[in-house]
Amino acid sequence: NGQAILLKQVAEVKLAPAIKRGDAGYNAKPAVILSVQKQPAADSVALTREVERAMADLSKSLPQGVEAPQFLFRQADFIEHSVTNVEEALRDGAILVAVILFLFLLNVRTTLISLTAIPLSLLVTALVFRYFGLSINTMTLGGLAIAIGELVDDAVVGVENVLRRLKLNRDLAEPRPVAEVIARATLEVRSAIVYATFIIVLVFVPLFVLPGIEGRLFTPLGVAYIVSILASMIVSVTVTPVLAYYLLPGMKQLHAGDSPLVTRLKRWDASLLHWSFGHGRQLLAGAAAVVALTAASIPLFPRSFLPPFNEGTLTVNVLLNPGTSLAESNRIGTLAEQIVAGVPEVTKVGRRTGRAELDEHAEGVHYTEMDVDLKASERSREAIIGDIRARLVVLPAVSNVGQPISHRLDHLLSGVRAQIALKVYGDDLDTLRGLAADLRGRLAKIPGVTDLQIEKQVLIPQIKIRVDYEQAARYGVAPGALLTSLEQMIEGERITQIVEGNRRFDLLVRLPESGRGLRELENLLIETPGGHVPLSRLAAIEDGDGPNQVSRENARRRIVISANTDGRDMSKVIADIRAELAARPLPEGYFTALEGQFQAQEQAARLIALLALVSLTMIFLVLYSRYRSMALTAIIMGNIPLALVGSVVALWISGQPLSVAALVGFITLTGIATRNGILKISHYINLCAFEGEQFGDHMIVRGSLERLTPVLMTALVAAFALVPLLLSADAPGKEVLHPVAVVIFGGLVS
């Protein structure tokens, strides 16, 4: 009647909290957990320091009752520990290289000339990294740590040959000029050095086509390895001869013979060679048998995708049934915090219950995720995780224990935060839930399966509103408009923002709590062209159950059963799961897909096997182009299977599974294994071509003894430089490099 109607006459207007979609705790006390994500190209360590400075500034003006912020799961700690550990391995490897060289050469000058290759090669590598904008990280440092022993190889070969030629020159009636002798001695081995280095580089190149996580991990290692090896080759044919010219001719010990160690080794080698010529067939047959036996044992290895990281932090997920209230979920989450904090190694526990809808991993309030920081302990990581699992069993919830980076890798590979994801596809949700429950019971019997859980797709209480389209048409109401209106009233709609000074408040319009029950909704008035009518005339409203969520993948409905392993060989667990699935097929129209780390390992293993064939082919082509002889090429390449014997034995002894890291070690070894063969064969050819030797036992013995020192030195320095990576295999940063080092060390020995 022309009278103004105020909003307060038809609605309640008040300040109220937004709907709480989660809660958090720190060491079992209420807290706000702030998660900071970095941009992909940012420096984690530098950014962490910036964040810490910002938090320190904010802490100066904290409101009363708020404690100073605490840092939880600081990923920079893992990065710093990893880099420091690998730097120490690099340093210790260089020291061991110096010790081995001195024991063989027993001469300070020759040792210094050889060792000069290390800092110069590392400096060149750093300059290349700087020029191309590459970062210094665990894997690039790992590439250098693996190459550190090989960086002196070319210099050692050159120095040893120069020293030998200078000694022979002094014994001549008319010695030639020193510069000429050094130049000829360098040229004599240059071809072998260049070809051996070229092969090592060629072997690594195929690794750059590795896709996915393994490619991102091992490509930086390969770049650092190749650049440093090429730098050492350039140093050996440029700087090393110049240093030899200035330091060696005036040396008092030039007339001195070999060191006592080398003299004894040569005596043993000579007698061994003479014995070998008389037992050639037996030796070759024995070597072939050992190679065959080793090859036959490879399928028996346990398998894994990557070695487990030692991150120093655990991620613990606790899941209750969907529909659990936030208050109850918070109570159980706090209990979980207290239980986990009781583990001796735990220093901090941070909990997040629920994940908001705009979060990249949105979850209901029934989901709790905890970050657990650990301190160093005599107990293994597996023992600590087992202890936490055992303690959490008392809760009325399903738990899953892993590590932050490992969980993210699992999520990246299968979309599930677990090592194994069994996905069941089909159309009917009830059937999917029934099949998942049955499969869970069957998988629970398999040894090694732990943290077994079904994706929380359950029936929860719902009020269902089903539009009667005929009635809606009769009243002139469009179904779409009706549904939109109901969504606005029941879910609520943000109309605008209220601004008061610097503060902003969302203005939300929705039905009051008192108007959201079954009876109230039935009587809710809906506007129609003919006037307002109750909702019950346009739709059927009922109280019932419905799915909390419907998950789809590749346009098919699916439910996931996830699990981890408790340390048992992953390949055997997967084989048992596949056998269980094959034993009882699913109904028609339903099928499963088994995904996880093992899948990535199988794909990577197939690809690396193909790359290994490419590498072997390239080695063959390079060697054949050098020697133009199938026999000489076969002799040099015969060292590759003999080297793999030691690698396989080393893996068995160390208890390492056959992982992508170990396979990368095998490929690296194929290049290294050809070096000594090239040095020997090239020297045999030089003896026959330039020094009047006739092919025969005498020439082979002479050539072998003259090359014994560089061959043993290069093999031993390369092997002993890896010792720091062999020790403390679980140290952060060394976990991924340890299998590579084990494979190369074992191969160099055999």
Side-chain angles (χ1 to χ4, degrees):
N1 300 325
Q3 184 179 351
I5 305 296
L6 300 179
L7 188 58
K8 66 181 180 182
Q9 293 177 263
V10 294
E12 182 184 8
V13 183
K14 64 177 182 179
L15 280 172
I19 297 171
K20 200 171 186 181
R21 300 187 180 276
D23 213 327
Y26 178 77
N27 289 341
K29 294 180 181 178
V32 173
I33 301 279
L34 174 68
S35 177
V36 181
Q37 306 283 343
K38 78 175 187 70
Q39 295 290 345
D43 182 332
S44 299
V45 177
L47 183 61
T48 300
R49 294 196 186 104
E50 291 290 328
V51 171
E52 286 173 340
R53 275 196 287 271
M55 294 307 296
D57 291 340
L58 288 171
S59 297
K60 295 173 184 175
S61 56
L62 288 175
Q64 192 173 1
V66 177
E67 291 183 8
Q70 301 289 322
F71 284 89
L72 177 77
F73 179 45
R74 184 178 176 274
Q75 199 171 48
D77 291 341
F78 176 59
I79 296 170
E80 287 169 338
H81 290 156
S82 300
V83 171
T84 301
N85 285 334
V86 181
E87 283 175 346
E88 289 173 357
L90 195 58
R91 179 202 65 200
D92 297 344
I95 293 169
L96 286 169
V97 166
V99 171
I100 297 294
L101 287 178
F102 188 76
L103 284 175
F104 270 88
L105 299 171
L106 223 57
N107 184 290
V108 174
R109 294 189 184 191
T110 51
T111 303
L112 282 176
I113 293 171
S114 302
L115 287 175
T116 304
I118 292 179
L120 288 177
S121 301
L122 295 181
L123 180 61
V124 170
T125 306
L127 290 173
V128 171
F129 271 46
R130 177 83 177 181
Y131 181 77
F132 287 103
L134 301 172
S135 68
I136 299 296
N137 55 50
T138 306
M139 298 312 290
T140 51
L141 288 172
L144 297 177
I146 289 167
I148 192 78
E150 297 163 58
L151 296 183
V152 297
D153 285 2
D154 295 341
V156 163
V157 172
V159 168
E160 194 276 337
N161 203 51
V162 166
L163 193 63
R164 189 171 61 85
R165 287 300 180 191
L166 285 173
K167 287 179 181 178
L168 292 173
N169 187 54
R170 275 204 177 174
D171 295 336
L172 294 176
E174 296 182 10
R176 295 197 303 275
V178 169
E180 182 186 334
V181 172
I182 291 175
R184 292 187 65 176
T186 302
L187 288 172
E188 192 177 320
V189 295
R190 186 182 66 181
S191 171
I193 287 172
V194 170
Y195 269 89
T197 304
F198 188 52
I199 284 174
I200 288 174
V201 171
L202 265 183
V203 163
F204 240 105
V205 169
L207 286 178
F208 293 141
V209 304
L210 280 178
I213 298 167
E214 59 271 32
R216 299 289 298 200
L217 269 176
F218 291 105
T219 296
L221 182 146
V223 170
Y225 185 88
I226 286 176
V227 172
S228 60
I229 290 290
L230 287 174
S232 75
M233 179 192 73
I234 294 169
V235 168
S236 71
V237 295
T238 54
V239 179
T240 302
V242 175
L243 289 173
Y245 176 77
Y246 284 111
L247 295 177
L248 295 187
M251 197 169 65
K252 294 178 182 178
Q253 293 180 330
L254 195 58
H255 278 299
D258 296 317
S259 68
L261 174 63
V262 173
T263 304
R264 183 171 296 180
L265 288 171
K266 283 187 174 180
R267 190 164 60 247
W268 289 348
D269 192 27
S271 60
L272 187 62
L273 285 169
H274 287 298
W275 176 85
S276 300
F277 294 138
H279 300 81
R281 290 187 177 182
Q282 297 95 311
L283 272 175
L284 291 174
V290 170
V291 169
L293 187 65
T294 303
S297 73
I298 291 175
L300 304 177
F301 268 104
R303 294 164 191 269
S304 71
F305 178 49
L306 291 171
F309 295 104
N310 186 7
E311 301 177 42
T313 301
L314 298 178
T315 300
V316 182
N317 296 331
V318 178
L319 274 84
L320 299 167
N321 278 333
T324 304
S325 69
L326 177 59
E328 178 63 9
S329 189
N330 219 17
R331 187 183 70 82
I332 300 293
T334 304
L335 283 174
E337 280 185 271
Q338 293 169 345
I339 289 170
V340 171
V343 175
E345 289 80 5
V346 172
T347 57
K348 301 175 186 174
V349 183
R351 170 182 59 85
R352 284 169 289 180
T353 296
R355 287 284 191 97
E357 289 181 336
L358 292 180
D359 192 289
E360 58 186 359
H361 301 298
E363 295 282 357
V365 296
H366 65 284
Y367 171 88
T368 290
E369 180 177 306
M370 294 190 293
D371 290 320
V372 181
D373 282 354
L374 305 175
K375 63 183 178 183
S377 168
E378 294 180 359
R379 288 203 297 176
S380 68
R381 184 175 59 254
E382 287 72 23
I384 296 168
I385 290 174
D387 189 3
I388 290 174
R389 282 179 178 142
R391 293 178 185 229
L392 290 175
V393 167
V394 298
L395 295 178
V398 177
S399 61
N400 181 343
V401 185
Q403 299 184 98
I405 296 176
S406 305
H407 261 185
R408 281 159 179 77
L409 293 182
D410 291 331
H411 209 183
L412 188 67
L413 293 170
S414 65
V416 177
R417 296 184 191 91
Q419 293 174 328
I420 303 166
L422 176 59
K423 298 177 179 178
V424 187
Y425 295 87
D427 295 324
D428 183 69
L429 294 176
D430 289 334
T431 306
L432 280 178
R433 284 192 290 270
L435 290 173
D438 177 58
L439 285 168
R440 186 195 182 286
R442 288 158 60 187
L443 297 187
K445 300 172 185 174
I446 295 175
V449 172
T450 187
D451 294 340
L452 188 62
Q453 61 189 55
I454 302 173
E455 184 181 14
K456 292 295 185 179
Q457 291 189 27
V458 297
L459 295 175
I460 59 173
Q462 292 180 347
I463 293 178
K464 299 180 181 181
I465 302 174
R466 305 183 190 278
V467 176
D468 185 330
Y469 291 98
E470 290 184 3
Q471 281 291 94
R474 191 169 292 124
Y475 281 98
V477 177
L482 174 61
L483 291 172
T484 302
S485 176
L486 287 172
E487 184 181 7
Q488 289 169 342
M489 287 188 281
I490 297 170
E491 178 67 19
E493 181 183 10
R494 202 190 90 175
I495 303 296
T496 184
Q497 280 192 329
I498 306 297
V499 180
E500 288 185 4
N502 291 328
R503 306 178 73 186
R504 294 171 182 267
F505 305 92
D506 286 341
L507 178 61
L508 190 77
V509 176
R510 55 177 280 181
L511 287 173
E513 289 299 324
S514 59
R516 298 157 65 83
L518 187 66
R519 295 289 168 261
E520 289 76 14
L521 287 175
E522 287 178 343
N523 297 322
L524 181 65
L525 293 177
I526 304 295
E527 187 178 2
T528 72
H532 290 81
V533 298
L535 179 60
S536 57
R537 293 192 186 178
L538 303 173
I541 305 166
E542 58 187 45
D543 203 347
D545 291 329
N548 67 309
Q549 66 182 48
V550 179
S551 300
R552 291 178 180 271
E553 193 170 325
N554 295 329
R556 295 296 301 269
R557 288 179 172 179
R558 65 112 171 100
I559 191 167
V560 177
I561 304 149
S562 60
N564 292 320
T565 60
D566 62 1
R568 186 186 174 211
D569 175 13
M570 173 77 80
S571 57
K572 291 181 179 176
V573 172
I574 295 300
D576 288 348
I577 291 174
R578 283 172 172 160
E580 185 62 44
L581 293 175
R584 198 187 309 169
L586 298 183
E588 188 176 346
Y590 294 84
F591 60 94
T592 59
L594 193 57
E595 299 177 10
Q597 284 191 16
F598 71 93
Q599 196 178 29
Q601 190 276 334
E602 291 171 347
Q603 292 169 352
R606 285 194 293 270
L607 180 57
I608 290 175
L610 180 63
L611 295 177
L613 289 176
V614 173
S615 296
L616 291 173
T617 304
M618 290 196 298
I619 291 173
F620 174 82
L621 292 174
V622 171
L623 290 175
Y624 188 77
S625 69
R626 165 86 171 88
Y627 296 109
R628 301 289 177 185
S629 165
M630 290 289 288
L632 294 180
T633 302
I635 288 170
I636 294 172
M637 292 192 69
N639 214 15
I640 294 172
L642 295 172
L644 296 182
V645 169
S647 298
V648 172
V649 171
L651 283 176
W652 280 118
I653 291 173
S654 64
Q656 284 290 315
L658 197 62
S659 63
V660 173
L663 295 175
V664 169
F666 280 124
I667 285 193
T668 309
L669 183 64
T670 57
I672 299 171
T674 59
R675 179 192 290 272
N676 291 337
I678 292 172
L679 289 175
K680 279 196 171 183
I681 294 294
S682 296
H683 192 55
Y684 295 157
I685 291 171
N686 287 338
L687 288 177
C688 293
F690 305 116
E691 300 197 22
E693 282 283 356
Q694 296 296 315
F695 181 81
D697 293 359
H698 177 267
M699 185 276 293
I700 292 174
V701 171
R702 178 190 166 184
S704 298
L705 293 181
E706 288 179 354
R707 277 286 169 263
L708 179 67
T709 302
V711 163
L712 272 181
M713 276 198 294
T714 54
L716 285 174
V717 293
F720 277 89
L722 297 171
V723 168
L725 291 177
L726 297 176
L727 305 174
S728 60
D730 289 334
K734 293 184 181 178
E735 323 98 313
V736 180
L737 301 171
H738 178 71
V740 182
V742 167
V743 167
I744 297 174
F745 184 88
L748 284 168
V749 170
S750 67

